[in-house]
Amino acid sequence: EVYMPELLSELLARKAYTQWKASTSDWHLMQTLLRQCDGATAAAALIDVCPALATLLDPKREATLRLTALSLLDQLFSSASFCGAPQLADWAEHIFSAMLLPNLIWRAGKAAEHVRL
């Protein structure tokens, strides 16, 4: 909780996430930080994380990257402390409309099928 805001700010400051691939080390670092912290701490970081996640969950991005980003969201939403955090209320509509909904639209192809499942 003490170091996470600073780490995320540094990691996301240059907006390098627009070029991330599933194998990018910065993407793995961000995932690890969010998966290992308390849900309330992750919710407090939504102001930094949401723009990056929205970019990563763009349907034009590679399927493996989107699947891991969706998996991260699934894990966060499985945490009672994340779901109960007041910061989630500020970002819930954006998460639904900009991140989840575009990935629910049916598209042809194996990669799109895996994302839908």
Side-chain angles (χ1 to χ4, degrees), residues 34 39 42-55 57-58 69-70 72-74 76-77 82-83 85-104:
L34 292 170
L46 285 174
I47 193 164
D48 294 319
V49 172
C50 275
L53 284 176
T55 300
L57 284 166
D58 184 324
L70 287 169
L72 172 62
L73 283 177
D74 180 51
L76 291 174
F77 280 115
F82 180 81
C83 292
Q87 295 91 341
L88 181 58
D90 298 334
W91 290 97
E93 183 178 349
H94 181 70
I95 290 170
F96 179 73
S97 64
M99 297 180 210
L100 298 177
L101 200 56
N103 286 289
L104 294 175

Side-chain angles (χ1 to χ4, degrees), residues 5-97:
E6 183 180 332
L7 284 169
L8 282 175
S9 293
E10 185 177 321
L11 189 65
L12 302 172
R14 297 177 315 277
K15 298 189 190 244
Y17 56 81
T18 60
Q19 303 301 317
W20 285 357
K21 305 235 180 276
S23 60
T24 304
S25 61
D26 287 347
W27 166 230
H28 290 285
L29 178 59
M30 186 175 94
Q31 281 188 82
T32 302
L33 287 170
L34 292 170
R35 290 179 190 271
Q36 298 301 317
C37 71
D38 179 64
T41 303
L46 285 174
I47 193 164
D48 294 319
V49 172
C50 275
L53 284 176
T55 300
L56 299 175
L57 284 166
D58 184 324
K60 295 177 186 104
R61 301 298 296 264
E62 70 176 290
T64 306
L65 179 64
R66 288 185 295 136
L67 283 170
T68 55
L70 287 169
S71 173
L72 172 62
L73 283 177
D74 180 51
Q75 183 174 346
L76 291 174
F77 280 115
S78 297
S79 166
S81 60
F82 180 81
C83 292
Q87 295 91 341
L88 181 58
D90 298 334
W91 290 97
E93 183 178 349
H94 181 70
I95 290 170
F96 179 73
S97 64

